[in-house]
Amino acid sequence: MDGGNLIYLVWNDFVGLSRTRGMVRENYEFNKARGLGWALAGQSLTPFEDIAPNPWGPMDEVRQTPDPDTEVNIKITDGAPALSMVLCDSRHPDGTPWECCTRSLLKAALDELERAHGLILKIAYENEFKLYAPDGAWNAPFSLAAARSYAPFIEVLTQALLTAQVGLETVEPEYGVGQYEISCGPAPGVAGADRVVITREVLREAARQCGLHASLSPKTGPDDVGNGCHLHLSLWHRDGTPASFDPEGPGELSPVAAHFVAGVHRHLQALMAFTAPSPVSYLRLGPHHWSCGYDAVGVQNREAAIRICPAPAGEAAQRAAGLNIEYRATDATASPYLSLAAILRAGLHGLREKLPLPALLDQDPADLSDGEREKRGIRSLPGSLETALSALDDDPLVKQWFSPTMLQAYKDLKTYEAGMFKDASPDHLCERYRLAY
Ligand code: GLU
Ligand code: MG
């Protein structure tokens, strides 16, 4: 299909935004192996007009190099140019990955999982978002009226996501006014993370072309229902058989899945610096909102940071294939690649050390007394980005997963971003992120 004259080379940076350069299409075939140059300092851009202090000079650059498997070329509405884009790895001119390339960090962690344990990770995302329309209709939560109020847009979006082949499963109204959700099925390895980046950009583009605005920000207004981006993970053997399920295991988790979860749980406080990485992330998280406020683990527990999701009843084979682990403490201000790389490294630590699964919780952790929570080893999640960054500083193992330059640049950027909103009102904070994400 004709995608117009430009193809956008896209990379997802430390703040989880898709940055881009547009290449003239007729040069693309010839130039795609070399990619386009991009200043390293660009990795320290905040989501706004500012750039954080960083170690890079005016001559340092990287090549944004397309992965042809990720090309998207979709006509969304008549009369608007097709969305034509390709996802990139950030490489040095000799082709080696840059230490700060989020996509390459995930690929390295996935390689380690396969090399050391013979396992493949399948990844699926839910994307909650809020739709803004000039006429801003009110509808009851989850109602057919909410679905049908924007039926033309939802049909355009659905068709676009089907064409983009992101494994679309559902598009539905959510709890908040104007809130909707897109769920996609799992894909193995880096393709699972690519899917979520493509899904979000197709969503934003479809909304733009229909005269609407879609925001995936975790909190679009202080009193709005939060937008989560729940992440579903499952482990598979190389031969394509599921590896997460054992009907005899706690929560029906296999030993490898239990160790994986234990590793993620062990490092959860520090992981939050990557998975809930914005000041506004912490307006969403908290007890009694199903967004989670504690680092509990439980079967079907929507108030736990890690929810074990059994498959619906069925044959053992279906239950084995359907069981997955949901990480709820994340949102669309996180880079899917970087946050998954960190989560996967934590899971690898659990696998290597055969860490024990924490006791599973079958109630709302907020209903327990402080003493009961302490007895069960349940901790509050960090209450701010600054606290999450301190937790990262306090976790020597997590810091080892990244190069010193990468870690310093990331922490400096996130510290700067936290500082930008230190004295901001919740209204101002929500409004800035609502427009950026
Ligand atoms: N909106 C909730 C959140 O912020 C999630 C609701 C749900 O379980 O779908 O995570
Ligand atoms: Mg939801």
Side-chain angles (χ1 to χ4, degrees):
M1 183 180 291
D2 176 15
N5 287 316
L6 288 177
I7 176 158
Y8 288 95
L9 273 55
V10 167
W11 56 98
N12 192 271
D13 67 3
F14 277 176
V15 295
L17 284 179
S18 294
R19 310 280 185 182
T20 196
R21 294 187 63 191
M23 186 186 274
V24 170
R25 179 176 302 280
E26 64 179 27
N27 300 339
Y28 176 67
E29 281 310 316
F30 179 71
N31 280 336
K32 68 181 175 193
R34 289 190 300 159
L36 286 175
W38 177 248
L40 301 193
Q43 192 65 303
S44 291
L45 285 163
T46 71
F48 308 106
E49 301 81 355
D50 315 56
I51 185 157
N54 64 80
W56 299 296
M59 292 171 302
D60 297 326
E61 76 164 37
V62 77
R63 307 298 300 176
Q64 300 296 2
T65 314
D67 177 344
D69 288 346
T70 66
E71 284 173 28
V72 167
N73 190 6
I74 41 173
K75 188 85 184 154
I76 296 180
T77 56
D78 291 337
L83 172 65
S84 188
M85 60 182 244
V86 60
L87 301 178
C88 296
D89 292 316
S90 311
R91 296 184 186 278
H92 295 294
D94 68 3
T96 53
W98 181 34
E99 65 197 308
C100 296
C101 170
T102 57
R103 194 165 183 266
S104 301
L105 286 166
L106 174 59
K107 283 189 196 171
L110 289 162
D111 287 350
E112 171 80 16
L113 180 69
E114 189 166 357
R115 202 175 39 244
H117 304 280
L119 293 170
I120 313 284
L121 187 71
K122 284 195 186 176
I123 298 161
Y125 272 93
E126 298 164 27
N127 288 284
E128 291 177 341
F129 67 93
K130 182 155 167 161
L131 192 64
Y132 292 87
D135 55 354
W138 181 92
N139 290 293
F142 306 108
S143 66
L144 185 62
R148 298 304 293 171
S149 280
Y150 298 103
F153 162 70
I154 287 173
E155 183 52 30
V156 165
L157 173 65
T158 302
Q159 184 56 56
L161 291 170
L162 289 171
T163 310
Q165 297 186 328
V166 289
L168 181 66
E169 289 187 344
T170 55
V171 181
E172 58 206 323
E174 247 284 351
Y175 186 46
V177 177
Q179 193 185 31
Y180 295 83
E181 176 169 327
I182 298 168
S183 297
C184 297
V190 75
D194 292 339
R195 267 188 179 181
V196 68
V197 173
I198 294 168
T199 300
R200 290 175 187 166
E201 295 315 324
V202 169
L203 162 65
R204 291 180 174 120
E205 177 76 10
R208 273 189 294 266
Q209 290 192 18
C210 293
L212 306 167
H213 173 70
S215 178
L216 293 128
S217 172
K219 200 78 169 167
T220 45
D223 299 322
D224 286 0
V225 175
N227 288 321
C229 277
H230 304 153
L231 166 60
H232 293 261
L233 302 171
S234 54
L235 296 166
W236 295 72
H237 299 292
R238 279 202 198 96
D239 66 5
T241 55
S244 300
F245 177 76
D246 178 344
E248 305 303 323
E252 298 193 321
L253 290 182
S254 66
V256 286
H259 297 320
F260 187 95
V261 169
V264 176
H265 177 258
R266 171 77 59 95
H267 297 288
L268 193 61
Q269 305 282 326
L271 290 179
M272 299 284 288
F274 301 102
T275 67
S278 300
V280 77
S281 300
Y282 295 87
L283 295 188
R284 166 184 166 248
L285 294 167
H288 298 316
H289 290 85
W290 290 14
S291 59
C292 72
Y294 294 94
D295 69 355
V297 182
V299 177
Q300 285 293 32
N301 193 337
R302 290 178 175 78
E303 286 288 350
I306 302 174
R307 167 183 169 221
I308 299 162
C309 306
E315 299 292 307
Q318 287 166 299
R319 286 165 54 218
L323 180 129
N324 64 82
I325 300 149
E326 183 186 48
Y327 184 100
R328 293 175 75 81
T330 190
D331 62 61
T333 64
S335 157
Y337 302 116
L338 184 54
S339 52
L340 272 161
I343 290 170
L344 182 44
R345 291 282 172 197
L348 280 165
H349 177 233
L351 283 168
R352 210 166 28 243
E353 300 299 324
K354 297 198 174 1
L355 294 180
L357 185 71
L360 301 177
L361 186 73
D362 60 2
Q363 67 185 109
D364 184 342
D367 291 341
L368 298 171
S369 68
D370 289 348
E372 283 169 322
R373 275 193 298 268
E374 202 179 325
K375 211 160 64 197
R376 295 169 195 236
I378 297 170
R379 299 164 296 178
S380 292
L381 294 177
S384 67
L385 177 55
E386 288 94 331
T387 317
L389 289 167
S390 302
L392 173 58
D393 264 334
D394 293 343
D395 193 326
L397 198 78
V398 176
K399 290 194 283 186
Q400 277 174 28
W401 301 335
F402 305 99
S403 75
T405 303
M406 182 278 169
L407 194 69
Q408 197 59 50
Y410 184 77
K411 285 196 313 183
D412 286 351
L413 169 58
K414 287 291 155 184
T415 304
Y416 184 89
E417 193 179 334
M420 286 172 72
F421 294 95
K422 201 165 167 301
D423 301 315
S425 68
D427 280 311
H428 178 69
L429 178 62
C430 291
E431 186 57 11
R432 293 250 50 201
Y433 283 87
R434 181 180 83 82
L435 295 173
Y437 289 90

